[in-house]
């Protein structure tokens, strides 16, 4: 699990719809938010942007299947002859009224998730079993979680008791003209280059529908555009940044992807 904090600058974010207004209104109403969408579609960038826009410190917790309640809320640690309580990142975010972003929330085991239930409803509080303390969130605090629904199966599914506490914002890849705008702004490539990359991504997304292969993300296009901007041949950048990561070393898939790419 990784954790970071600090007052965020406002990064570049191009909205796809009403998500900025929805986020602001929910935060104003003290309701928690769940941002869902495929990999590399802008979930993290959106949350970073909102933290900057609202002038809140951002504390990021990335969940995994080893994340325990103590990792989130805190634990006693031995200091010489003393045993001292150390707040976990969620408790720290609550005490300081920060924007607490729990990424990959579906990876976290249910016992640990259950500790967040009172924080995600009208109580807006955490109960620290080990110390007996209840920490109530100040008005500046906001809880935002995110995950990729395509990666959710079986026991990883969020329980309704958790997911139904959240205002949910589904994000997906931007429409082609807006995704092109993002590539140009992020990487400084010319419009036609960005449009070609987005055209390829659109064909791959359509061509791969129903296949056992993830669609190319905006992140992949941004990587390819960065290399092209630095003078690398477009064909090589596309192969290395888009086709090869999608195929993940499976030869059959690389051939199928090349076929779709060649037809663009
Ligand atoms: N709407 C957008 N505005 C600006 N940049 C965007 C937008 N959508 C995607 N990007 C670009 O795509 C990159 C990947 O986005 P981001 O890291 O937010 O994806 P993510 O949805 O959090 O993916 P993951 O689920 O893999 O963590 C960003 O670093 C940014 O360059
Ligand atoms: Mg992310």
């Amino acid at each position: 699990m990784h954790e970071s904090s600090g007052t965020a600058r406002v990064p570049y974010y191009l909205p796809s719809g009403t998500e900025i207004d929805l986020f602001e209104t929910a935060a104003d109403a003290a309701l928690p938010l769940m941002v869902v969408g495929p990999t590399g579609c802008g979930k993290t960038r959106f949350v970073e942007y909102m933290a900057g826009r609202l002038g809140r410190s951002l504390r990021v917790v990335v969940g995994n299947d080893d994340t325990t309640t103590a990792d989130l809320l805190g634990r006693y640690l031995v200091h010489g002859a003393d045993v001292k309580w150390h707040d976990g990142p969620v408790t720290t975010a609550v005490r300081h009224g920060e924007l607490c972003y729990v990424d990959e929330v579906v990876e976290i085991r249910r016992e640990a998730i259950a500790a967040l239930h009172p924080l995600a409803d009208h109580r807006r509080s955490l109960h620290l079993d080990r110390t007996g303390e209840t920490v109530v969130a100040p008005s500046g605090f906001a809880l935002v979680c995110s995950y990729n629904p395509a990666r959710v199966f079986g026991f990883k599914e969020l329980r309704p008791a958790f997911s139904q506490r959240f205002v949910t914002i589904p994000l997906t890849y931007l429409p082609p003209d807006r995704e092109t705008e993002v590539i140009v702004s992020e990487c400084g490539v010319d419009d036609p280059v960005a449009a070609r990359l987005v055209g390829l991504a659109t064909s791959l997304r359509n061509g791969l529908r129903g296949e056992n292969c993830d669609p190319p993300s905006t992140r992949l296009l941004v990587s390819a555009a960065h290399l092209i901007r630095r003078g690398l041949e477009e064909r090589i950048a596309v192969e290395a940044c888009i086709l090869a990561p999608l195929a993940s070393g499976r030869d059959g898939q690389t051939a199928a992807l090349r076929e779709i790419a060649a037809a663009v």
Side-chain angles (χ1 to χ4, degrees):
M1 189 173 64
H2 162 86
E3 150 195 4
S4 67
S5 66
T7 307
R9 62 180 180 90
V10 187
Y12 166 72
Y13 178 74
L14 187 70
S16 57
T18 56
E19 69 269 28
I20 295 176
D21 196 26
L22 189 51
F23 192 116
E24 272 182 348
T25 312
D28 190 51
L31 292 172
L33 282 139
M34 183 73 75
V35 183
V36 298
T39 184
C41 76
K43 300 182 293 295
T44 298
R45 177 62 68 90
F46 172 52
V47 176
E48 288 168 348
Y49 168 80
M50 290 309 302
R53 187 179 162 109
L54 297 172
R56 311 258 174 104
S57 274
L58 179 64
R59 191 165 297 268
V60 183
V61 180
V62 182
N64 63 55
D65 53 11
D66 277 338
T67 305
T68 62
T69 308
D71 291 329
L72 299 174
L73 303 195
R75 52 169 52 87
Y76 281 107
L77 293 173
V78 179
H79 288 267
D82 286 345
V83 178
K84 275 197 196 147
W85 174 259
H86 285 255
D87 283 340
V90 176
T91 308
T92 304
V94 172
R95 287 197 204 279
H96 297 172
E98 297 172 335
L99 196 165
C100 181
Y101 176 32
V102 182
D103 199 359
E104 309 295 358
V105 69
V106 278
E107 300 293 333
I108 302 175
R109 273 183 275 143
R110 284 173 173 173
E111 314 83 81
I113 289 274
L116 302 179
H117 280 203
L119 193 57
D121 61 33
H122 64 280
R123 290 169 284 179
R124 281 177 50 90
S125 61
L126 278 180
H127 183 69
L128 309 178
D129 266 353
R130 308 296 303 274
T131 64
E133 186 187 5
T134 296
V135 190
V136 179
S139 63
F141 174 81
L143 176 65
V144 183
C145 299
S146 77
Y147 67 95
N148 174 0
R151 291 274 153 260
V152 174
F153 35 83
F155 66 93
K156 266 195 182 165
E157 225 164 84
L158 290 176
R159 282 196 170 143
F162 189 65
S163 54
Q164 291 191 17
R165 282 172 152 76
F166 289 80
V167 173
T168 298
I169 302 183
L171 292 182
T172 189
Y173 305 118
L174 290 164
D177 54 333
R178 292 178 85 71
E179 195 171 35
T180 303
E181 200 179 325
V182 165
I183 309 301
V184 170
S185 300
E186 285 284 280
C187 314
V189 287
D190 294 336
D191 234 53
V193 173
R196 274 199 296 279
L197 291 172
V198 171
L200 168 62
T202 306
S203 297
L204 289 168
R205 286 169 193 159
N206 293 333
L208 294 171
R209 205 162 282 151
E211 300 286 323
N212 182 25
C213 184
D214 285 315
S217 63
T218 306
R219 177 184 294 120
L220 293 185
L221 308 187
V222 167
S223 305
H226 274 307
L227 299 192
I228 295 166
R229 174 81 179 82
R230 279 161 180 74
L232 196 73
E233 206 182 305
E234 207 168 304
R235 185 182 53 84
I236 298 174
V238 162
E239 178 77 33
C241 296
I242 302 177
L243 304 183
L246 287 181
S248 317
R250 286 166 291 187
D251 284 348
Q253 216 131 47
T254 314
L257 292 167
R258 278 213 195 95
E259 230 167 79
I260 299 174
V264 176

